[in-house]
Amino acid sequence: MRIGLLTEGGYPYLSGETRLWCDRLVRGLGQHEFEIYALSRTERQEDEGWLPLPPQVDRVRTAPLWTTEAATDGRTPYGRRARRRFADCYGDLAATLCAGGVGDPATTSTEGSALEADRFGNALYALAELARDEGGLPTALRSETAVRALERACRAPGARRAAREARVPDLLAVAAHLERALRPLSLDWYEDDALGAVDLCHAASGGAAALPGLLARHFFGVPLLVTEYGVRLRAHYLAAPDAPPAVRALLAAFHGRLAAETYGRAAAVTPGNAHARRWQERCGADRVKLRTVHPGMDAAPFTEIGEAPECADPGTVVWVGRVEPAKDLVCLLHAFAEVRAAEPGTRLRIVGTPAGAEGAAYLGHCRALAAQLFPDEAEGPHTVGDNPVSFEEVGGPELPTLADAYGSGAVTVLSSVVEGFPAGLVEAMFCARATVSTDVGAVVEVIGGTGLVVPPRNPRALAEACVALLRDPARRARLGAAARARALELFTVEQNTTAFHDLYLEIVSHTPVRRLVLDGAGEPVPFAAPAESRIPGRWAGPAPRAVPRGGPSWATGTARTAGGFPAAEGA
């Protein structure tokens, strides 16, 4: 069958989320054809280029979410009737945000009524139809009409307090965010030879990535599968803690409403873990549609280390990850001070690179704290002192690979205060390492009973767990072996691709055939063109690949054929 894979800020670009998972999924499902519809977040991401694409990728179309002035260049102003139509649709959408959103803590579930949900969906699809008729919405979404419609909704009787308190800067900020979030409505992807021709849309995340799937379902009846490893509403709360209350509340309502609409229209929703599943249920997802599919990770690079756990240094604790405040290395350093008091010969290796400017500043702070807590120690009067805490990066002579980083210590620690799916924890499990983790995100679900879990921001509990494992080699070995077995059973690429292959077949088998074949009398021929009639394969010599994208155009996107001839069609 032909799958339309919808991404935002990830695959097929070299940087961004979900790129590795999507690449493994596409390569693991060679029996299907894929068309990639990708939204990019930054100009840098566009310039970095794409990952090498496998032959089953038939076409790639891209569009940017980062442009500003370019989004409105060359647009013809709407006529009076179109402006009135836009104001009505946008006003209805804004009214649902001011009435409260699904998953908004300021409202109860009963207040997020079915009536408001229907009103949001109707307004969204009406805007999409207007975009089709008028050639796009960027000009209208950035117009004064949009801001005034949002202001009227905030001042209307019955609007909640946070909306009524919105000032002009708040309204402008919300309108700008909605313009970016609704840009997929203006794309030309919703044609018979684009998303209208696929058998299934698979959105690699919620939010903007799922919007094309919603519209493909609306215009053509294409079934939608949504996969989320991080829920957009939760990401909004984490990313905007200091935003003005009105902006925070209105955008939370938008993300909640869009999530509820996405979950309601999707044929199936696949959270990556129970933590994401709980957020999806909070946003209105039907439990019947939810199927937990854990992320697939490549276990091969960790096989050698995992099969030789005795090579670990029994007196070393290892932390591996991106250096940023959410990882709470300050707590880890204070905990290690207590570990050193109990086990004086222990060392701590912190392996990772800083995440942006904030991460670099945090790394500098952690280095200074380590120097303060652990003065350099020397074994004798004639030797150079050494600090028991080292800050390193993968790729150096001592730690050439990520597997070597995990293999360098007997205990691996995760000290985060915020975490989604802890991929680093799974990598440590592949390496058969005993782990000590904080109880955040999906940690308990991932680790099961194969590691120790302590409360976050609790240095004493973290230290006691590390000391318990450092003093008990037999327990470390048992936990490490159990962790490796659990990871190989639940978190490999093979189990992930098998689960999605089964889901694809199940969804398509319950979807009516949309490409009707008529007989000589003009009557439809039953079962003439099922999804299985599209036979993947290259029936001639490979055609040269087209030149990579030459810069995306907002309204039309960028298309590229990924080599080879189209697959054969069944009669």
Side-chain angles (χ1 to χ4, degrees):
M1 68 182 72
R2 177 169 294 181
I3 309 299
L5 186 60
L6 315 175
T7 68
E8 178 196 354
Y11 193 70
Y13 297 105
L14 289 173
S15 61
E17 303 95 344
T18 73
R19 67 189 188 283
L20 294 180
W21 167 74
C22 288
D23 188 57
R24 291 165 181 163
L25 176 71
V26 172
R27 293 181 184 277
L29 295 177
Q31 65 270 49
H32 302 300
E33 290 184 348
F34 284 85
E35 294 185 6
I36 311 300
Y37 294 83
L39 300 169
S40 63
R41 288 181 182 166
T42 63
E43 185 175 8
R44 177 181 178 182
Q45 188 177 53
E46 292 269 1
D47 293 339
E48 286 176 346
W50 297 350
L51 292 166
L53 299 177
Q56 56 264 38
V57 176
D58 189 59
R59 177 168 62 175
V60 177
R61 302 188 71 172
T62 66
L65 293 179
W66 47 268
T67 53
T68 53
E69 294 82 1
T72 61
D73 286 349
R75 296 293 180 188
T76 302
Y78 289 171
R80 181 180 301 175
R81 181 176 299 178
R83 289 198 302 270
R84 186 182 303 113
R85 182 179 167 191
F86 170 79
D88 292 341
C89 298
Y90 193 88
D92 283 345
L93 186 141
T96 64
L97 308 186
C98 297
V102 179
D104 192 333
T107 63
T108 64
S109 59
T110 55
E111 289 176 308
S113 63
L115 180 62
E116 289 297 329
D118 288 342
R119 188 180 182 187
F120 176 88
N122 292 336
L124 187 69
Y125 299 127
L127 286 172
E129 291 167 1
L130 176 62
R132 264 189 145 193
D133 296 340
E134 301 296 332
L137 292 177
T139 301
L141 291 172
R142 284 186 170 272
S143 67
E144 184 179 352
T145 302
V147 179
R148 289 191 178 278
L150 184 60
E151 182 180 23
R152 284 195 299 271
C154 291
R155 307 290 184 260
R160 56 200 174 111
R161 180 177 178 180
R164 294 197 306 270
E165 293 177 349
R167 300 295 179 259
V168 172
D170 301 332
L171 296 173
L172 293 174
V174 172
H177 183 94
L178 293 180
E179 187 273 325
R180 288 190 296 273
L182 296 176
R183 284 186 183 185
L185 301 181
S186 301
L187 295 172
D188 67 341
W189 294 352
Y190 319 111
E191 304 294 342
D192 292 332
D193 60 346
L195 284 176
V198 302
D199 299 303
L200 170 70
C201 284
H202 186 177
S205 65
L211 261 180
L214 285 175
L215 298 190
R217 184 189 182 280
H218 176 72
F219 290 125
F220 303 103
V222 178
L224 172 63
L225 170 64
V226 178
T227 296
E228 283 188 312
Y229 294 112
V231 178
R232 190 57 55 91
L233 180 61
R234 175 180 179 269
H236 163 71
Y237 287 136
L238 294 176
D242 301 325
V247 175
R248 183 177 170 86
L250 289 172
L251 295 184
F254 172 76
H255 291 301
R257 291 287 182 203
L258 181 57
E261 179 67 19
T262 300
Y263 302 151
R265 303 294 181 182
V269 180
T270 58
N273 51 72
H275 181 64
R277 183 182 181 121
R278 288 192 294 271
W279 273 90
Q280 290 169 341
E281 290 181 1
R282 179 184 179 185
C283 291
D286 186 352
R287 291 188 177 186
V288 175
K289 295 182 178 182
L290 295 175
R291 312 281 185 86
T292 301
V293 180
H294 295 110
M297 300 180 62
D298 187 6
F302 308 98
T303 300
E304 183 177 353
I305 297 295
E307 293 178 350
E310 67 279 358
C311 297
D313 183 350
T316 299
V317 177
V318 176
W319 180 96
V320 181
R322 292 187 308 167
V323 179
E324 56 186 348
K327 303 303 182 181
D328 203 6
L329 293 180
V330 171
C331 174
L332 175 59
L333 290 171
H334 283 288
F336 186 65
E338 298 189 29
V339 172
R340 287 279 294 181
E343 295 291 323
T346 309
R347 300 184 62 84
L348 172 63
R349 303 183 79 162
I350 295 177
V351 184
T353 55
E358 184 181 27
Y362 187 68
L363 177 59
H365 173 70
C366 292
R367 287 181 182 275
L369 179 61
Q372 180 182 0
L373 291 175
F374 311 101
D376 290 352
E377 301 173 354
E379 295 181 359
H382 304 294
T383 58
V384 178
D386 185 24
N387 195 296
V389 178
S390 61
F391 294 84
E392 306 170 64
E393 294 185 10
V394 172
E398 293 188 8
L399 301 175
T401 67
L402 193 59
D404 292 320
Y406 290 108
S408 64
V411 177
T412 299
V413 180
L414 183 146
S415 55
S416 303
V417 293
V418 176
E419 194 76 48
F421 183 85
L425 196 58
V426 176
E427 293 168 346
M429 294 168 70
F430 282 143
C431 292
R433 289 303 181 262
T435 59
V436 177
S437 312
T438 49
D439 186 5
V440 293
V443 164
V444 172
E445 179 185 2
V446 168
I447 205 67
T450 66
L452 305 186
V453 181
V454 301
R457 298 189 188 279
N458 192 327
R460 177 170 296 180
L462 195 63
E464 290 175 353
C466 290
V467 170
L469 292 181
L470 289 169
R471 288 177 173 175
D472 195 341
R475 188 183 185 190
R476 289 202 310 268
R478 289 196 305 271
L479 289 175
R484 177 169 166 78
R486 179 178 175 84
L488 291 175
E489 179 184 1
L490 298 178
F491 307 120
T492 60
V493 175
E494 292 75 18
Q495 67 82 22
N496 184 268
T497 54
T498 299
F500 280 113
H501 173 68
D502 294 343
L503 269 172
Y504 289 172
L505 295 180
E506 179 184 344
I507 292 172
V508 172
S509 69
H510 290 87
T511 302
V513 175
R514 295 173 290 104
R515 292 185 294 275
L516 295 179
V517 176
L518 304 180
D519 59 17
E523 296 295 327
V525 179
F527 306 108
E532 290 79 3
S533 68
R534 188 183 298 279
I535 305 174
R538 308 296 164 183
W539 303 102
R545 286 184 179 270
V547 177
R549 59 146 195 91
S553 166
W554 169 249
T556 60
T558 299
R560 192 187 84 171
T561 300
F565 289 91
E569 290 280 357

